Amino acid sequence: MALAKRIIPCLDVKNGETVKGSAGDPVELGKAYSDAGADELVFLDITASFEERKTFTQMVERVAREINIPFTVGGGVNELADVERLLNAGADKVSINSAALRNPSLIDEIAGKFGSQVCVCAIDARNDADGWHCYVKGGRERTERRLMDWAREVCDRGAGEILFTSMDHDGVKEGFANEALAEMASLVSIPIIASGGAGKMEHFRDAFIKGKANAALAASVFHFGEIGIARLKEYLRGEGVEVRV
């Protein structure tokens, strides 16, 4: 039997508050998603400056007490001590992005110390005139790393999952980057989380069927109640996509 596809709401957090959507307390929102049938949650500390880390760690502890599904935490993770701090606070997985591009051996270190399942490598990329390239600083700064080469490398280094965001599709709500997702799925042996482009339920179906993604992540369509998680799962089952209900 194929592994069930996962639906993952993402909460961008700044100063302990949720930024997108209905905003407010991320702990309450996280609990609501957990109760609504989300398979996992992702929390991103979008400013992650040194002073705010304490606030964020306390928030992670509060979330961990309220939910019963896995959650991944990212933002400002630059060294093993950051990973340890977040895992001790109750996170199940830690997401790294810019830090991995700056220092690829960080992936090996996290996988080596905590296990591959803890290490989610987030990749932000754009399809430029000369092909897909990885970006840092929230998609503002291009690197010379090509998307598929980097995806293969993070897999080889021991990452447990790839969270791939197409910056071209993010916020547009016209569907995920399914061709790139399918190509990546053919190149790596680890699960891929699709991010960037969710606007309607069909987009999730296409990410799983055409894009071969293992999970799909979205923010505003969930926060604003445009798509309900239970309804989405019911729709996906009707389309032949295996999901946990």
Side-chain angles (χ1 to χ4, degrees):
M1 183 177 139
L3 278 176
K5 305 293 189 180
R6 290 169 288 146
I7 302 296
I8 306 178
C10 177
L11 292 86
D12 291 340
V13 178
K14 183 177 181 182
N15 301 324
E17 292 283 305
T18 310
V19 181
K20 278 185 190 168
S22 52
D25 182 27
V27 182
E28 286 175 21
L29 214 48
K31 185 176 187 314
Y33 283 134
S34 176
D35 293 345
D39 296 298
E40 298 186 18
L41 292 173
V42 170
F43 283 80
L44 298 177
D45 183 359
I46 60 170
T47 43
S49 66
F50 186 72
E51 301 76 36
E52 288 168 357
R53 285 193 181 175
K54 195 171 175 192
T55 312
F56 191 61
T57 306
Q58 289 166 343
M59 188 213 76
V60 170
E61 288 171 346
R62 287 169 56 221
V63 170
R65 285 197 293 268
E66 294 293 334
I67 68 171
N68 57 6
I69 55 175
F71 79 116
T72 300
V73 176
V77 177
N78 296 303
E79 56 186 5
L80 286 180
D82 296 325
V83 179
E84 193 147 20
R85 172 174 54 84
L86 293 168
L87 293 177
N88 288 339
D92 297 283
K93 309 177 198 179
V94 171
S95 168
I96 54 173
N97 189 341
S98 303
L101 281 158
R102 281 197 305 272
N103 172 25
S105 63
L106 181 61
I107 299 168
D108 308 67
E109 291 171 18
I110 294 171
K113 180 158 188 187
F114 303 106
S116 288
Q117 79 285 350
V118 163
C119 185
V120 178
C121 194
I123 305 178
D124 295 342
R126 289 184 194 278
N127 192 6
D128 296 328
D130 56 345
W132 284 92
H133 279 80
C134 299
Y135 276 70
V136 292
K137 298 186 178 167
R140 290 187 293 276
E141 190 176 297
R142 174 173 147 141
T143 72
E144 287 315 300
R145 290 266 188 183
R146 291 192 171 272
L147 170 61
M148 298 304 166
D149 293 343
W150 179 233
R152 269 195 295 241
E153 183 173 338
V154 303
C155 177
D156 291 345
R157 285 182 176 275
E161 285 182 286
I162 292 171
L163 168 52
F164 164 46
T165 302
S166 164
M167 306 307 296
D168 301 315
H169 294 71
D170 197 34
V172 182
K173 294 191 174 181
E174 290 183 357
F176 295 91
N178 295 318
E179 283 184 24
L181 281 164
E183 183 181 350
M184 189 182 291
S186 73
L187 295 172
V188 302
S189 57
I190 57 176
I192 298 166
I193 304 166
S195 167
K200 51 188 183 179
M201 292 195 285
E202 291 83 349
H203 295 154
F204 288 87
R205 174 199 64 198
D206 291 348
F208 295 135
I209 293 174
K210 295 179 183 173
K212 313 280 190 246
N214 303 89
L217 174 144
S220 61
V221 290
F222 294 142
H223 301 338
F224 286 120
E226 293 166 35
I227 296 176
I229 289 170
R231 203 159 47 88
L232 172 60
K233 288 190 165 188
E234 192 181 324
Y235 164 80
L236 289 169
R237 280 179 80 91
E239 294 289 316
V241 177
E242 184 68 38
V243 288
R244 292 187 199 93
V245 175

